[in-house]
Amino acid sequence: MAEGERAEQSGGLGRPPREGEAGALDRAEALKSQANEFFKGKDYENAVKYYSEAIDLNPANAIYYGNRSLAYLRTECYGYALSDATKAIELDKKYIKGYYRRATSNMALGKFKAALRDYETVVKVKPNDKDAKMKYQECNKIVKQKAFERAIASDEHKRSVVDSLDIESMTIEDEYSGPKLDNGKVTLAFMKELMQWYKDQKKLHRKCAYQTEKVTVCGDTHGQYYDLLNIFELNGLPSETNPYIFNGDFVDRGSFSVEVILTLFGFKLLYPDHFHLLRGNHETDNMNQIYGFEGEVKAKYTAQMFALFSEVFEWLPLAQCINGKVLIMHGGLFSEDGVTLDDIRKIERNRQPPDSGPMCDLLWSDPQPQNGRSVSKRGVSCQFGPDVTNSFLERNQLDYIIRSHEVKPEGYEVTHEGKCITVFSAPNYCDQMGNKGSYIHLRGSDLRPEFHQFTAVPHPNVKPMAYANTLLQLGMM
């Protein structure tokens, strides 16, 4: 929760207020109080707005930046959160919450060493703070683990996890009564039984798990399995006459990510030409380690199973073009002009994404209302304006793009004069955002989009982030 402490009358100016400044400082405090109320109500957009107005009136108050940093964290604007936390520390070196916010931002971006430095600062200032010690120790453990992984990494060609599996020797115990493959094949009957099995919170046998005129476009599902089932209930099961495209971020945050991804993989095996999966920024090792998928797979299966998921994720396509008219990708467009569809086809995708470049942009970038490009609110890739979208579409003779990657209150958003569409399919994201979900139908020769909204359905009492990194479970976010 945003801090409620009141700033001193001087507002951190370091001098007595000039004539008229006292009134400005009081207005700034009133705006901060309003922002705090919006924050408590989980209206983070308005919280950011009012913290920003308070900052305009008193730009030397560290608390305002610290509060806005936390609001940005809640909306996953990690780049902006990092900038605000850094500014708060610059204004007040003794502002401990600024170090917490900056550590949180760096953790969310996978910058563990930078986060560790800030946790170390907090522990030095507050040596008896148990929470600070715990977070420092957990972060230090991650840094050491990463160093160990680098030390033992081989430069030789990586052996596939598949090569180490002996599926034939795996036996299905007599007491197992769940779904079974038909001579090693996925069938529609198997998929229906599997979805009910998962709905009842049961686990698929590991032997089966290892083997496994409109088009509907779905956005992020983020481990919200019961909302995925609701999509199929509302829109029909996938089939040769009811094709689907799922646009990345199948896993993490939601605590039923294993059930989501195995169901999606099952339908991909059943209908390989009519069921398509694109990679999102959360189909990556770094995100999976922090936001829960790695922990969930290891809890429900094994570390070997997670390694296999990681390997499969690296082969997922980064984009899909529909009838030469619509390009679908998880994040968005590029940090540089001149990118063509051929350039996208040439990207070597069988790897973890780099920190910059076309592959990174396809997974991470976001649209913005103003022309041009700007620094990403997430701290990765960029934000691109309507002129960038128009230029890309004209160069590649496309009509519009569909992307996901961002929570939207209505489940979708149309921007850039109808040429950039966002679709998000995880309603009431993380059980707290209150947003609708949506999916899109593309029909006819013009592929005009039709939007279908839906709300969240109940799920078993397992909270989001149940398998996330321990720091997140300690309330870091």
Side-chain angles (χ1 to χ4, degrees):
M1 184 176 294
E3 304 115 83
E5 65 260 49
R6 185 177 179 85
E8 295 180 4
Q9 186 66 25
S10 66
L13 289 172
R15 55 171 171 76
R18 298 191 183 102
E19 184 178 355
E21 280 184 350
L25 299 182
D26 286 342
R27 290 197 302 275
E29 280 295 292
L31 287 165
K32 183 197 76 172
S33 297
Q34 286 180 274
N36 287 349
E37 291 305 309
F38 280 120
F39 187 97
K40 291 174 186 176
K42 298 181 181 179
D43 185 349
Y44 303 120
E45 184 176 344
N46 272 315
V48 167
K49 175 185 174 183
Y50 281 88
Y51 287 137
S52 299
E53 291 181 12
I55 288 170
D56 288 342
L57 289 171
N58 184 3
N61 190 305
I63 292 172
Y64 298 170
Y65 286 98
N67 286 8
R68 191 172 70 175
S69 176
L70 187 57
Y72 279 137
L73 282 169
R74 294 296 169 87
T75 55
E76 301 183 17
C77 297
Y78 302 128
Y80 288 175
L82 181 62
S83 177
D84 272 359
T86 300
K87 182 65 176 178
I89 294 167
E90 289 174 1
L91 290 170
D92 184 356
K93 294 288 193 297
K94 296 181 180 179
Y95 181 54
I96 295 301
K97 289 186 178 180
Y99 294 96
Y100 268 117
R101 303 284 185 264
R102 191 163 69 178
T104 300
S105 305
N106 278 315
M107 280 293 298
L109 292 167
K111 298 177 180 178
F112 304 114
K113 284 187 177 180
L116 183 63
R117 287 194 293 270
D118 282 331
Y119 283 133
E120 191 172 12
T121 299
V122 175
V123 169
K124 285 179 180 177
V125 174
K126 304 177 74 174
N128 297 321
D129 188 323
K130 292 182 180 179
D131 182 65
K133 278 185 180 178
M134 199 178 302
K135 289 174 180 175
Y136 170 77
Q137 290 168 356
E138 180 62 27
C139 190
N140 192 33
K141 185 169 71 175
I142 294 172
V143 170
K144 288 181 178 178
Q145 179 185 340
K146 290 286 186 183
F148 176 73
E149 289 170 356
R150 287 194 300 272
I152 65 173
S154 172
D155 291 333
E156 297 176 9
H157 180 69
K158 187 171 69 174
R159 184 179 180 225
S160 171
V161 177
V162 176
D163 296 334
S164 64
L165 294 175
D166 184 7
I167 296 172
E168 293 303 318
S169 69
M170 296 180 188
T171 58
I172 297 180
E173 297 78 9
D174 292 340
E175 59 269 23
Y176 176 74
S177 60
K180 296 178 183 177
L181 298 171
D182 185 1
N183 293 319
K185 302 291 184 183
V186 174
T187 63
L188 181 57
F190 171 84
M191 289 306 303
K192 288 181 177 179
E193 189 179 356
L194 174 67
M195 288 188 291
Q196 184 60 48
W197 190 254
Y198 278 156
K199 190 175 182 179
D200 295 336
Q201 298 188 74
K202 298 177 182 179
K203 189 174 79 171
L204 180 67
H205 194 279
R206 68 189 183 109
K207 183 168 184 175
C208 300
Y210 275 118
Q211 291 175 291
T212 86
E213 246 359 316
K214 70 176 189 318
V215 60
T216 300
V217 182
C218 298
D220 304 40
T221 48
H222 273 302
Q224 296 185 197
Y225 182 67
Y226 295 83
D227 294 310
L228 173 66
L229 293 182
N230 190 37
I231 292 173
F232 292 148
E233 182 73 25
L234 295 170
N235 194 56
L237 288 176
S239 69
E240 292 179 356
T241 58
N242 191 27
Y244 279 82
I245 299 170
F246 279 83
N247 194 22
D249 280 14
F250 322 118
V251 301
D252 279 340
R253 297 191 180 276
S255 295
F256 304 96
S257 292
V258 166
E259 291 79 0
V260 167
I261 193 61
L262 287 179
T263 298
L264 296 179
F265 280 175
F267 277 119
K268 180 63 180 174
L269 290 170
L270 183 59
Y271 302 115
D273 297 325
H274 301 87
F275 193 85
H276 305 282
L277 303 172
L278 304 183
R279 192 176 186 180
N281 64 300
H282 277 267
E283 278 68 60
T284 57
D285 288 353
N286 221 21
M287 294 293 102
N288 294 161
Q289 182 182 39
I290 300 169
Y291 293 103
F293 184 59
E294 179 179 341
E296 182 181 345
V297 176
K298 289 179 177 178
K300 294 179 179 179
Y301 290 102
T302 62
Q304 183 188 50
M305 177 75 87
F306 175 73
L308 183 57
F309 274 122
S310 173
E311 191 173 318
V312 174
F313 287 164
E314 290 186 348
W315 284 108
L316 290 174
L318 300 173
Q320 186 158 358
C321 190
I322 309 297
N323 292 354
K325 293 178 178 288
V326 181
L327 187 67
I328 304 172
M329 78 289 285
H330 180 73
L333 296 180
F334 305 96
S335 302
E336 297 181 357
D337 293 327
V339 177
T340 66
L341 295 183
D342 279 340
D343 292 329
I344 296 173
R345 293 185 186 102
K346 292 173 184 175
I347 294 173
E348 182 186 344
R349 70 178 189 267
N350 181 26
R351 55 178 172 155
Q352 293 301 306
D355 293 333
S356 61
M359 182 177 180
C360 174
D361 295 334
L362 285 167
L363 298 173
W364 278 98
S365 70
D366 295 292
Q368 64 181 22
Q370 68 272 27
N371 281 336
R373 294 180 176 88
S374 63
V375 175
S376 170
K377 61 189 177 184
R378 301 175 189 268
V380 184
S381 185
C382 70
Q383 295 177 184
F384 59 94
D387 57 331
V388 176
T389 299
N390 283 329
S391 175
F392 175 81
L393 295 176
E394 288 174 8
R395 174 179 290 272
N396 291 283
Q397 298 181 317
L398 297 166
D399 292 345
Y400 61 93
I401 64 170
I402 296 176
R403 42 91 62 183
S404 300
H405 196 38
E406 288 184 284
V407 183
K408 297 298 176 184
E410 297 300 313
Y412 72 93
E413 184 178 66
V414 181
T415 57
H416 296 185
E417 299 180 332
K419 295 178 181 179
C420 178
I421 295 171
T422 298
V423 58
F424 193 85
S425 302
N428 193 26
Y429 180 46
C430 288
D431 284 358
Q432 66 173 351
M433 297 303 290
N435 59 290
K436 295 177 182 176
S438 76
Y439 52 86
I440 301 173
H441 286 164
L442 303 181
R443 296 179 185 270
S445 58
D446 63 351
L447 297 177
R448 186 167 58 86
E450 299 173 0
F451 302 99
H452 298 264
Q453 297 170 297
F454 58 98
T455 55
V457 296
H459 63 75
N461 188 26
V462 182
K463 293 181 179 180
M465 308 288 277
Y467 301 95
N469 179 275
T470 307
L471 279 175
L472 302 189
Q473 296 176 15
L474 290 171
M476 184 187 75
M477 299 298 286

